[in-house]
Amino acid sequence: MARMLSGRLPDPPTAVRRGPLRAGAFPSTLHDQRVASLLGIALGITFGTCFLTGLVSHFMQHPPTWLSWPSRPVWLYRVTQGLHVTTGLASVPLLLVKLWTVYPRLWEWPPVRSVAHALERLTIVPLIAGSIFQLATGIANIAQWYRFHFFFTVTHYWVAWITIGALVVHIAAKLTTVRANVGRKRHERIPGTAVSAAPERTAGGREGDSRREGAGGGGQVLEDLEDQGNLGNGRDGAPPAGGLTRRGLAVATGTAAAVIVVTTAGQAVPALAPLDLLAPRRPDLGPQGLPVNRTARTARAARVAVAARDPGYRLEAVGTRRVGYDLAQLHALPSHTVRLPITCVEGWSADATWHGPRLRDLLDAALIPVDATVRVESLEAHGGYRASEVRPAHARDPLTLLATGLNDADLELYHGYPARLIAPDRPGVLQTKWVHRVVLL
Amino acid sequence: MSGDSDAGAGAGAGLSVGGFALRVVLVAAGLAALGYGVDGLLTMPRATRPSNATAWLIGGIVVHDALLVPGTMLVGFALSRLVRAPYRAVVQGALIVSGAVALMSLPLWRGYGGSVDNPSVNPLPYGRNLAIVLGAVWAGAALLMISRAVRVRRTGRRGDSADG
Ligand code: HEM
């Protein structure tokens, strides 16, 4: 089996080795294993963060029955989703520079050396496709630019699994290369070092001769040097003639990521709001000083506006008993004021002051048991977000309100007039607006 | 895997037994996740529109490999002819920063997306803001170049201080 996988395949005729397939077609010494390894580690961290925070978002919205999210800390989802979008955006320069660095490998010669090599190259396809796809669709989605025909959330979710899976395989494949190129003791970890340089490179340069002579492992040496393909490994690359050094490339890439973070994170981090120049939202811009995601003005939702303003509006809570309140009665209920962030799945979040009755008081009035899950329903007739499920941790939290007011004024239609759910640590899509009924499940 | 060496020659040639086992586990876990994703994508076709999603997946690679990278290389080639040694690194660096910032905010300053009935989506003057950010980046680059010019003059040596 191992032999079959690693057996050397015949090379294609050299006559077809032209253009980018030529030896030395990519002369920049920045096409380098150390650069690729360091950027790979950075991307492993950012994509890992995106994946984990993405899973948090997914399972907050679609919790399996056994999973009960806590309602504290109030800022948990704010942090995870803000981190998700910011880290994703900061990955743009990391990914592009990394792909540029390894681009010569696309034109590697011979294109395949063995079955194992062919399989490894094959897993690069979902890795690159998935990575670019996640960043591109994410960027388009937060700008609400829907040029694709698929449903963003579902597709982004499945492609995340594809991307992260391909990334883990890739890490396994590159473990030795990374170890030989990163860390203080990297030079000791160069597997088999009898040969001095990749054939296409001239020796000499800053770290020129640090390669250690010695115990070579025959075939292993050859394979590892070949694995380097047409990438340099810095140990033998000549310094670039007056352009960016490896260090300079790292500084530029890091600066790009930092500029992106600083000019976008303000949509979630209050202290950075003044520098929020290039994010799709500003936490203080919107009706009543707060951004909005879903409005009641679209054609489909127009009837929500009518229903919400209907003088016959009633808020009902249905448990063992059914209770109902008209607007005047709703406003006469004991009111509480809470300061809670609203956090959109799209990554922005903003603090606001809400007032209105506590959800748990309504549940008590309807004789809904403390350990019960309820459904909060909107006046919307259709749509994936017309209702949301509230499990006991959130339903019973004293901070959870059916808010009738925002920032010391009555709630506007934009924000869910006559009443909306506002609970701690919960994605904005589940903070149901235009609420008219709460039912025991 | 780069892996002829790894999967095949394995433990004997520089890779410890533990390292080998770690790889086997990683590859198995990675392939399982990958397969899970493909399966999920294909079993919810009404939401994922597999043909459209595939077009975007492949389209991303094609645009990147056939346009973006060759374009970058052309720019790099032009720079190597047009900008002299101690300054070229700075220009390259500033271009990397500018390109990345412009790309990640592309829908915003191009005015794509947004919502007709919801002015709180994409509410800022993004063209102006991008100009401000890139202006700051290039101001920083200019300072760096000035400091390099001073250093070159002082030492009298050229092209020796390309670290940046
Ligand atoms: C620029 C980069 C990215 C942006 C702007 C972005 C944006 C988003 C947004 C807005 C959501 C929420 C979707 C919703 O619930 O409506 C989301 C969810 C998610 N993202 Fe990303 N993302 C990016 C990159 C990534 C990457 C690199 C990964 C992982 C490899 C990833 C994995 C996920 C996952 C697993 C979810 C959960 C989807 C669900 O709720 O079903 N994202 N992302």
Side-chain angles (χ1 to χ4, degrees):
Chain A
M1 168 78 172
R3 176 146 302 202
M4 197 189 84
L5 283 173
S6 58
R8 180 85 198 198
L9 295 173
D11 285 6
T14 35
V16 301
R17 193 172 187 193
R18 290 170 189 276
L21 291 168
R22 280 181 350 259
F26 299 96
S28 170
T29 47
L30 295 174
H31 298 296
D32 172 271
Q33 289 190 320
R34 179 160 159 79
V35 179
S37 301
L38 290 170
L39 285 167
I41 291 172
L43 278 165
I45 294 169
T46 59
F47 272 50
T49 306
C50 279
F51 185 63
L52 292 178
T53 51
L55 288 187
V56 168
S57 183
H58 179 83
F59 288 112
M60 275 202 186
Q61 292 176 64
H62 312 281
T65 34
W66 52 265
L67 180 63
S68 181
W69 287 99
S71 58
R72 305 294 168 90
V74 296
W75 41 260
L76 179 66
Y77 184 67
R78 175 181 215 179
V79 170
T80 60
Q81 198 57 10
L83 205 57
H84 182 84
V85 167
T86 311
T87 322
L89 293 174
S91 301
V92 169
L94 302 179
L95 181 68
L96 293 180
V97 175
K98 160 100 191 188
L99 290 179
W100 178 85
T101 301
V102 298
Y103 188 71
R105 294 297 296 262
L106 176 64
W107 304 97
E108 171 175 11
W109 188 268
V112 293
R113 297 192 302 268
S114 62
V115 176
H117 181 228
L119 290 176
E120 190 245 322
R121 292 204 74 184
L122 211 58
T123 64
I124 296 295
V125 177
L127 178 62
I128 304 182
S131 303
I132 296 176
F133 183 93
Q134 289 301 84
L135 298 191
T137 57
I139 288 171
N141 182 71
I142 58 175
Q144 303 202 357
W145 181 32
Y146 305 120
R147 283 300 303 273
F148 33 77
H149 303 305
F150 44 81
F151 185 50
F152 169 75
T153 322
V154 180
T155 316
H156 188 76
Y157 175 73
W158 291 117
V159 176
W161 281 100
I162 294 175
T163 310
I164 221 71
L167 179 59
V168 170
V169 174
H170 181 63
I171 291 171
K174 299 302 178 192
L175 226 48
T176 355
T177 311
V178 172
R179 278 170 55 79
N181 284 281
V182 179
R184 284 235 170 124
K185 296 194 174 159
R186 60 181 183 271
H187 303 299
E188 293 164 24
R189 294 193 291 250
I190 301 164
T193 46
V195 188
S196 71
E200 290 144 28
R201 312 221 153 249
T202 45
R206 284 165 305 151
E207 295 172 60
D209 297 315
S210 54
R211 228 159 216 273
R212 302 215 324 198
E213 300 294 318
Q220 176 71 23
V221 177
L222 255 167
E223 290 297 355
D224 274 307
L225 280 172
E226 275 182 321
D227 178 45
Q228 183 178 304
N230 33 6
L231 283 203
N233 63 14
R235 290 180 285 273
D236 43 48
L244 277 176
T245 56
R246 286 189 299 171
R247 169 91 110 35
L249 183 65
V251 170
T253 311
T255 306
V259 170
I260 289 171
V261 169
V262 166
T263 56
T264 59
Q267 67 169 344
V269 181
L272 288 175
L275 292 172
D276 175 2
L277 293 169
L278 294 173
R281 300 300 188 119
R282 258 284 272 281
D284 57 344
L285 287 188
Q288 299 184 276
L290 191 70
V292 175
N293 204 30
R294 312 186 55 244
T295 67
R297 297 262 177 91
T298 54
R300 186 214 247 168
R303 63 172 294 275
V304 172
V306 176
R309 294 203 179 96
D310 183 344
Y313 166 86
R314 281 174 75 77
L315 175 69
E316 281 192 324
V318 187
T320 325
R321 194 164 78 184
R322 173 186 290 254
V323 290
Y325 309 89
D326 63 20
L327 259 188
Q329 289 165 330
L330 181 62
H331 284 270
L333 289 173
S335 176
H336 297 265
T337 301
V338 300
R339 184 132 181 102
L340 280 182
I342 183 139
T343 301
C344 183
V345 288
E346 288 168 13
W348 60 268
S349 54
D351 288 300
T353 306
W354 309 88
H355 63 261
R358 280 187 177 140
L359 177 61
R360 70 176 190 194
D361 293 346
L362 264 81
L363 302 187
D364 286 343
L367 301 179
I368 290 173
V370 259
D371 56 355
T373 296
V374 296
R375 189 174 61 229
V376 175
E377 296 177 356
S378 148
L379 290 164
E380 295 162 279
H382 311 282
Y385 302 112
R386 63 168 293 278
S388 73
E389 205 175 86
V390 190
R391 296 196 179 175
H394 288 84
R396 293 287 156 178
D397 194 297
L399 293 179
T400 301
L401 307 183
L402 280 177
T404 54
L406 162 62
N407 294 340
D408 294 324
D410 281 349
L411 212 53
E412 282 184 15
L413 190 60
Y414 269 115
H415 289 297
Y417 171 89
R420 79 165 304 163
L421 181 68
I422 182 80
D425 188 26
R426 190 171 163 88
V429 287
L430 302 183
Q431 310 274 30
T432 307
K433 301 205 266 194
W434 312 295
V435 173
H436 80 122
R437 189 160 51 199
V438 182
V439 295
L440 170 66
L441 285 184
Chain B
M1 298 110 280
S2 62
D4 349 72
S5 41
D6 330 334
L15 197 66
S16 68
V17 177
F20 182 69
L22 174 66
R23 287 192 181 198
V24 171
V25 170
L26 286 178
V27 170
L31 289 179
L34 205 162
Y36 180 63
V38 172
D39 181 62
L41 201 71
L42 295 179
T43 46
M44 298 189 174
R46 275 172 55 87
T48 61
R49 304 284 181 98
S51 58
N52 187 241
T54 310
W56 278 75
L57 281 161
I58 302 301
I61 294 199
V62 171
V63 169
H64 177 269
D65 285 2
L67 294 176
L68 202 58
V69 176
T72 309
M73 286 177 172
L74 280 182
V75 173
F77 179 75
L79 285 182
S80 70
R81 299 290 137 123
L82 298 176
V83 186
R84 271 193 298 136
Y87 313 110
R88 194 191 316 147
V90 182
V91 175
Q92 286 173 317
L95 281 175
I96 289 174
V97 178
S98 308
V101 171
L103 210 56
M104 75 92 204
S105 59
L106 181 119
L108 301 176
W109 54 265
R110 292 287 301 152
Y112 300 149
S115 167
V116 236
D117 62 325
N118 184 356
S120 75
V121 182
N122 310 347
L124 305 173
Y126 292 102
R128 187 205 72 172
N129 287 1
L130 181 67
I132 293 175
V133 175
L134 296 192
V137 168
W138 284 92
L143 285 179
L144 266 178
M145 284 193 266
I146 291 170
S147 84
R148 287 185 171 203
V150 171
R151 221 185 322 162
V152 167
R153 191 158 298 175
R154 281 222 188 107
T155 57
R157 284 183 300 159
R158 285 189 164 238
D160 214 31
S161 50
D163 223 295

